[in-house]
Amino acid sequence: MEASLSLAAAPVRQKTHWTERIAHVVLAGIALVLLCFLAMPLAAILVKSVQGKDGELVWFAHFIDYARTPSLFSSLWNSIWVSGLVTLITVPLAFIFAYALHRSCMPFKKLLRGITLIPLLAPSLLSAISLIYWFGNQGVLKSLLQALGFDQIYGAVGIVFAECFATFPHALMILVTALTLADARLYEAADALGTSKLRKFFTVTLPGAKYGIISAALVTFTLVITDFGIPKVIGGSFNVLATDVFKLVIGQQDFAKGAVVAILLLCPAVLTFAVDHFVSRKQTAMLTARAVPFRPRPSRGFDALMTGYCVFIAIMMLAMLGMAIFASFATFWPYNLTPSLKHYIYGLIDNEVAEGFVNSLKMAFGTATFGTAMVFLGAYLLAKTKGASWVRTPVRLLAMLPMAVPGLVLGLGYIFFFNAPENPLNGLYHTITLLTLCTIVHFYTTGHLTASTALKSLDDEFEAVGASLKVPWYKTFFRVTLPICSPALVDIARYFFVNAMTTISAVVFLYSPETKVASIAILNMDEAGEISPAAAMAVLIAATCAVGTLLFSALGWWVDRRAQAWRTSSR
Amino acid sequence: MTADPFLSLRNIYKTFGSFTALSQINLDIARGEFICFLGPSGCGKTTLLRIIAGLETQSSGTLTQGGRDISRLPPAERDYGIVFQSYALFPNLTVAANVAYGLVNRKTPRAQVEARVSELVKLVRLPGSEGKYPSQLSGGQQQRIALARALATSPGLLLLDEPLSALDALERVRLRQEIRALQQKLGITTIMVTHDQEEALSIADRIVVMNHGVIEQVGTALEVYREPATPFVADFVGKVNVLPGRLEGEHLHVGSFRLPARERVDTARDVKIYLRPEDVLARPAVSGAGFAADDPHMFEAVIEKIEFLGSFCHVHVRSDAFHPHRLIVYLSLNFLSEQSLAVDSPLRLRLMPERMRVF
């Protein structure tokens, strides 16, 4: 009787300790930030796309209108085939490189791998600027381009070429991970059965890397279709979706059509996100705890071939960066190539774009500091505290959402949302604060995933032990969790820093003359025909990112050394 | 049991969606008792421990500890120390800092903290390890430190969640004896979750045998072993022979035996008889020093298989008396060799009807 009564009653709810309330408040705060600076701006795009001039609901009128504009429609097609072509070129190139890194015994693996990361240190349009120096109207190798049958570098050729460089490291990273997951036992089994090398490749290697290849292809496609800087610099009169958005919104102030294009750009990104999510679940299932990591065996001819290939790719990468550096120091391209600091001094400082560089540094440090704090705290509270379940699911979803939102779309959403006079947050518009917040949100997901992975490796009972000893969660957080996760923290901060220095797509809509950042300055100078100072600025950014990365690595090394006392002895 | 139990659970239910993890749990634990929750994995024993700790919340039911209703209190407001299977030592803190973790928060003077830490480290027999990091210690040593950390704040209740499962066999036996000695020395009420019956039988004052989210039996080791309340308990704790039988009127029929039933039944029914291997006695088959010839519980058997376990063996025998069922008998190695018994040797055995459990 008693039992049946108690079953019918509402389930017992534990009282909340006041320290837990702090956790709930902080989590709610993070939810609020993500809501205001991610969900609402995105919603603003959706609203704008179905609103008429006076705010009335016009359903799909703008979409239909868009479909009837032939010039816009051709941009859509251009975007698709260019992105497809880049994907078809980059993914196989990156796959061979990844294969060489993981399956051959070629020398200098670390160095070669490091060189391929160069494009990540500069805004993507650095490669476009370099291409102009190599193959442009006054380019060194213009005749080679023409011998290949291309009229000029401006247009689709330039975009495809430059994007291949810009996306290579992204594709490579995914493919290296996919190949690392290989289980040596499968190869041993194949060897025991006397399988030929070619057959092993098609029956073991390729199926094993299948998901990685799909993922790399989708990521490459999305990066290209949503990239703004490269088509802007080298696209000439070749229109793509990303440049259309800019022209529609900034040039023609046609917000409604801009919103329609933004939604089109959102589609491939959302698709990529969904497939990637599905794929990553499959892939982790493949690698069991018992898998034996693959160790390549030396094979002279194969290793030499692979080394040759990788050196070639590395030289191409260096040529891109090298040309930008060389040109930025050349006194007057192409007539006077004696090195000077002219473009750095007159081009940058006198053009008052040096201020932009300072702004960039402010933004990068702000993003690295506040972004890392927010991301880590958010991931921690989600993973290790209890209660307030109503706020957990929204935060979890919003933390993953930025991965699916191209920067251009996010920036557009910010205009619609923060530029509205009735928005109380309107005062933030054009400020460095908003630029910083936008960048944090833009790159939130990767940071969140890094933090979550690091937290997952910690014993779930730490918090339980803390509570049983009556130590509040925040003390355990500062005394235990944070010190253990400090390497991940450094990684997240470095990621935020580099991306804040190099990002263009989101912030291009949000700056004012006072808050212009360095990467935008490159774009403006290029537009004004001042390509040499533009190159100088791009090189400056790359150098800053390189120095920043080195500093973060030093910090990481220091953190690691401090942790060595308790870590290494376990092995 | 006692008029004023230290910890008392009333009608605890726990459901996860449509799955009932715990149902109608009622349990009283006296101050200073050592209780083991024993059961197969998934029986709800760990869930029950976590409910006592406040790490999970029961769907319904109440808990009182030391006269205080703790049903809805968060972990930090309850009074217990806990040790997990994974040790959960903070890897970046030294042994001393780990043990002092709960003390520092209570604004205890530093010298006092240090004194308490060295006292505790001595208590768990690891003096001098204060400056080491957990990764420099073996599994058993780490678990000792986890124990010291849990005891540091002198809690009223010690919860142990499979503390020995991650250790190797030798270390497991050594540490369980130490835990028991420590518990008796401090007189702290202790609940230990385990799936290892030997562990439970050897150290618990009382064992709570659980299965499918319900308590099957609560009793001392001897009670649980000798007088299992349910077939599950008989089967789960120790080894047992299960024989089909029939209750009819005043008799229990099993094999060719007709034994007096404990009480008369009006309608005959088929039953299962649970008989421990050691409750079948063996006597030398040849020499006269054995059972009386007319002993009604005696039967002849032949050895079919000998399963060597060390000083004792599980001897599988067949007998016309129980055909076609086989019996397992527990015999000492010495007995087997003295009687030069081997496979196919005849053997004279005697049932102990008073030890049979009928379900």
Side-chain angles (χ1 to χ4, degrees):
Chain A
M1 181 64 205
E2 200 188 343
S4 59
L5 265 181
S6 52
L7 263 189
V12 176
R13 285 188 58 169
Q14 201 172 69
K15 285 178 194 155
T16 311
H17 198 258
W18 65 269
T19 54
E20 292 285 316
R21 291 233 187 273
I22 299 178
H24 298 167
V25 168
V26 176
L27 200 56
I30 289 171
L32 194 69
V33 170
L34 289 174
L35 196 70
C36 287
F37 295 93
L38 177 61
M40 305 279 264
L42 290 180
I45 295 180
L46 293 182
V47 170
K48 267 289 189 282
S49 71
V50 294
Q51 252 181 0
K53 280 216 165 55
D54 303 314
E56 77 279 11
L57 183 65
V58 297
W59 292 111
F60 298 111
H62 298 310
F63 288 86
I64 295 161
D65 212 24
Y66 174 83
R68 286 193 184 139
T69 318
S71 65
L72 291 183
F73 218 65
S74 80
S75 311
L76 174 64
W77 170 238
N78 285 345
S79 272
I80 290 174
W81 77 257
V82 163
S83 307
L85 187 61
V86 172
T87 308
L88 285 179
I89 298 170
T90 306
V91 173
L93 287 179
F95 184 83
I96 300 174
F97 204 101
Y99 194 80
L101 282 178
H102 195 253
R103 302 295 162 86
S104 79
C105 290
M106 72 175 177
F108 312 121
K109 276 186 188 174
K110 275 209 169 131
L111 178 69
L112 289 166
R113 175 86 202 272
I115 289 172
T116 63
L117 297 178
I118 286 174
L120 294 179
L121 295 179
S124 61
L125 46 72
L126 177 102
S127 55
I129 291 176
S130 285
L131 278 181
I132 291 175
Y133 280 113
W134 280 113
F135 302 107
N137 289 336
Q138 294 175 321
V140 206
L141 294 177
K142 193 182 174 203
S143 49
L144 176 71
L145 186 76
Q146 281 164 340
L148 286 171
F150 297 108
D151 202 20
Q152 55 166 358
I153 191 75
Y154 300 98
V157 197
I159 298 179
V160 170
F161 213 160
E163 292 286 5
C164 285
F165 279 94
T167 54
F168 188 86
H170 297 273
L172 182 66
M173 260 189 287
I174 297 170
L175 292 169
V176 164
T177 315
L179 286 176
T180 315
L181 292 175
D183 186 346
R185 294 174 307 171
L186 289 177
Y187 290 92
E188 282 163 8
D191 282 339
L193 296 168
T195 317
S196 74
K197 271 201 163 157
L198 196 67
R199 184 135 180 259
K200 266 194 290 192
F201 180 80
F202 282 107
T203 54
V204 183
T205 309
L206 266 190
K210 178 173 62 185
Y211 296 118
I213 294 171
I214 296 172
S215 181
L218 285 167
V219 165
T220 308
F221 187 89
T222 309
L223 279 173
V224 178
I225 207 167
T226 59
D227 186 41
F228 171 73
I230 288 176
K232 184 85 178 58
V233 170
I234 209 169
S237 57
F238 186 82
N239 289 326
V240 293
L241 285 182
T243 49
D244 275 1
V245 175
F246 190 70
K247 272 184 223 153
L248 286 168
V249 175
I250 301 296
Q252 303 165 20
Q253 299 281 312
D254 188 345
F255 285 3
K257 223 169 262 167
V260 170
V261 183
I263 288 172
L264 285 178
L265 282 176
L266 202 53
C267 293
V270 170
L271 179 78
T272 306
F273 173 71
V275 172
D276 201 53
H277 189 69
F278 172 76
V279 159
S280 65
R281 281 204 348 234
K282 285 251 175 183
Q283 200 160 43
T284 45
M286 262 174 40
L287 190 75
T288 59
R290 282 179 170 191
V292 181
F294 183 86
R295 298 245 173 281
R297 264 168 297 180
S299 151
R300 243 185 166 170
F302 178 69
D303 291 347
L305 188 71
M306 285 294 139
T307 314
Y309 172 79
C310 292
V311 167
F312 173 73
I313 295 275
I315 286 175
M316 299 284 272
M317 295 280 172
L318 288 175
M320 277 296 168
L321 180 72
M323 181 50 101
I325 296 174
F326 180 74
S328 71
F329 284 106
T331 313
F332 186 51
W333 180 276
Y335 309 107
N336 180 358
L337 299 180
T338 36
S340 78
L341 287 173
K342 186 182 137 212
H343 301 303
Y344 288 88
I345 295 168
Y346 304 109
L348 295 183
I349 296 172
D350 293 0
N351 270 341
E352 291 179 0
V353 288
E355 210 179 311
F357 184 71
V358 176
N359 281 336
S360 263
L361 280 179
K362 275 192 210 161
M363 189 177 97
F365 277 111
T367 309
T369 314
F370 297 109
T372 309
M374 178 174 164
V375 155
F376 194 78
L377 202 57
Y380 172 82
L381 293 172
L382 277 186
K384 305 283 182 181
T385 60
K386 294 193 299 183
S389 43
W390 52 274
V391 79
R392 284 172 192 273
T393 315
V395 172
R396 211 165 272 142
L397 288 176
L398 288 175
M400 294 308 293
L401 187 60
M403 186 83 103
V405 180
L408 214 54
V409 177
L410 189 67
L412 200 59
Y414 272 50
I415 299 191
F416 294 162
F417 186 66
F418 291 102
N419 198 19
E422 64 274 16
N423 187 333
L425 294 171
N426 179 270
L428 282 176
Y429 194 57
H430 283 332
T431 60
I432 280 279
T433 312
L434 189 68
L435 290 177
T436 307
L437 276 164
C438 177
T439 312
I440 291 175
V441 167
H442 185 186
F443 299 103
Y444 197 92
T445 309
T446 306
H448 176 75
L449 291 176
T450 310
S452 300
T453 311
L455 286 166
K456 233 175 251 168
S457 67
L458 300 194
D459 197 318
D460 274 336
E461 313 293 9
F462 283 170
E463 280 66 32
V465 167
S468 78
L469 294 171
K470 317 224 182 322
V471 178
W473 65 267
Y474 48 83
K475 283 208 178 165
T476 307
F477 176 77
F478 283 114
R479 275 196 75 190
V480 179
T481 315
L482 218 49
I484 297 179
C485 290
S486 46
L489 237 55
V490 173
D491 275 352
I492 296 169
R494 177 179 51 199
Y495 175 80
F496 271 130
F497 180 86
V498 169
N499 277 297
M501 281 304 293
T502 59
T503 188
I504 292 175
S505 54
V507 295
V508 75
F509 292 114
L510 302 175
Y511 71 92
S512 72
E514 290 77 42
T515 57
K516 188 196 280 181
V517 292
S519 51
I520 302 294
I522 304 177
L523 217 54
N524 291 346
M525 286 186 283
D526 171 73
E527 211 160 5
E530 299 198 43
I531 185 165
S532 296
M537 187 57 115
V539 170
L540 203 55
I541 292 180
T544 312
C545 287
V547 170
T549 306
L550 281 179
L551 286 178
F552 278 112
S553 300
L555 184 65
W557 177 81
W558 180 74
V559 160
D560 209 46
R561 216 185 52 142
R562 264 174 47 116
Q564 228 146 46
W566 54 269
R567 197 170 280 154
T568 45
S569 47
S570 62
R571 271 159 232 153
Chain B
M1 49 174 298
T2 49
D4 189 18
F6 174 66
L7 180 70
S8 132
L9 314 182
R10 285 284 163 269
N11 266 316
I12 303 288
Y13 279 79
K14 177 70 182 175
T15 52
F16 294 105
S18 61
F19 173 71
T20 306
L22 290 173
S23 146
Q24 220 187 335
I25 302 291
N26 284 292
L27 186 65
D28 285 329
I29 296 171
R31 196 177 289 274
E33 246 192 316
F34 195 124
I35 296 285
C36 269
F37 291 173
L38 175 67
S41 55
C43 72
K45 56 190 192 297
T46 294
T47 308
L48 187 56
L49 189 86
R50 291 179 74 89
I51 287 174
I52 295 171
L55 301 173
E56 308 253 2
T57 311
Q58 69 279 18
S59 305
S60 68
T62 55
L63 299 92
T64 25
Q65 182 183 344
R68 192 165 65 122
D69 183 357
I70 58 163
S71 312
R72 295 188 55 213
L73 293 185
E77 286 174 34
R78 300 190 185 194
D79 172 30
Y80 66 87
I82 191 163
V83 173
F84 293 101
Q85 180 181 347
S86 62
Y87 323 136
L89 288 179
F90 304 125
N92 61 325
L93 302 183
T94 58
V95 164
N98 264 289
V99 175
Y101 200 75
L103 299 172
V104 170
N105 194 49
R106 298 186 178 191
K107 310 226 160 52
T108 324
R110 206 184 154 140
Q112 218 173 311
V113 169
E114 273 171 23
R116 178 79 175 135
V117 167
S118 67
E119 179 194 348
L120 283 157
V121 172
K122 261 192 217 104
L123 194 67
V124 296
R125 301 222 223 149
L126 282 171
S129 65
E130 285 94 330
K132 289 186 180 166
Y133 286 100
S135 59
Q136 293 167 306
L137 302 177
S138 74
Q141 290 173 327
Q142 288 188 52
Q143 198 58 296
R144 276 163 225 252
I145 296 303
L147 196 60
R149 180 179 64 183
L151 292 170
T153 53
S154 311
L157 177 66
L158 180 62
L159 303 176
L160 307 168
D161 184 8
E162 306 226 13
L164 307 171
S165 301
L167 306 177
D168 64 58
L170 273 178
E171 185 67 27
R172 207 180 302 173
V173 173
R174 200 180 310 149
L175 191 53
R176 85 178 178 214
Q177 283 157 357
E178 279 181 35
I179 288 178
R180 175 59 170 168
L182 199 62
Q183 186 266 341
Q184 285 186 320
K185 188 171 165 190
L186 301 174
I188 184 172
T189 315
T190 303
I191 302 176
M192 179 164 103
V193 162
T194 181
H195 61 262
D196 183 340
Q197 41 151 321
E198 190 189 311
E199 214 166 276
L201 293 171
S202 67
I203 62 174
D205 287 322
R206 282 194 302 154
I207 298 171
V208 177
V209 187
M210 298 179 65
N211 189 32
H212 292 312
V214 296
I215 293 180
E216 296 265 341
Q217 186 175 7
V218 180
T220 63
L222 200 61
E223 283 166 359
V224 166
Y225 190 77
R226 276 281 160 81
E227 294 150 37
T230 63
F232 171 79
V233 177
D235 213 14
F236 187 73
V237 179
K239 192 143 183 109
V240 77
N241 289 297
V242 184
L243 298 165
R246 191 169 171 78
L247 269 177
E248 221 174 316
E250 287 173 350
H251 296 287
L252 171 66
H253 297 269
V254 51
S256 62
F257 290 94
R258 197 175 74 152
L259 307 165
R262 295 227 167 119
E263 55 200 45
R264 215 195 116 76
V265 289
D266 294 327
T267 43
R269 63 184 171 96
D270 286 328
V271 291
K272 279 204 160 23
I273 288 148
Y274 285 75
L275 184 64
R276 300 246 180 244
E278 66 271 26
D279 294 339
V280 180
L281 303 179
R283 285 294 180 268
V286 219
S287 78
F291 314 118
D294 58 345
D295 188 326
H297 300 134
M298 205 184 65
F299 64 99
E300 304 286 339
V302 176
I303 295 179
E304 204 161 59
K305 190 169 104 183
I306 297 174
E307 200 181 323
F308 179 65
L309 297 175
S311 56
F312 277 83
C313 296
H314 276 149
V315 179
H316 299 239
V317 300
R318 65 166 183 266
S319 164
D320 289 340
F322 292 101
H323 188 79
H325 299 281
R326 306 294 196 255
L327 276 183
I328 297 173
V329 184
Y330 205 44
L331 298 178
S332 84
L333 195 58
N334 287 343
F335 180 82
L336 288 175
S337 50
E338 271 166 24
Q339 302 297 322
S340 42
L341 292 174
V343 171
D344 290 333
S345 303
L347 189 63
R348 183 169 292 174
L349 296 168
R350 182 186 184 277
L351 290 177
M352 295 177 75
E354 66 279 14
R355 289 279 172 81
M356 284 182 177
R357 301 290 295 178
V358 180
F359 293 107

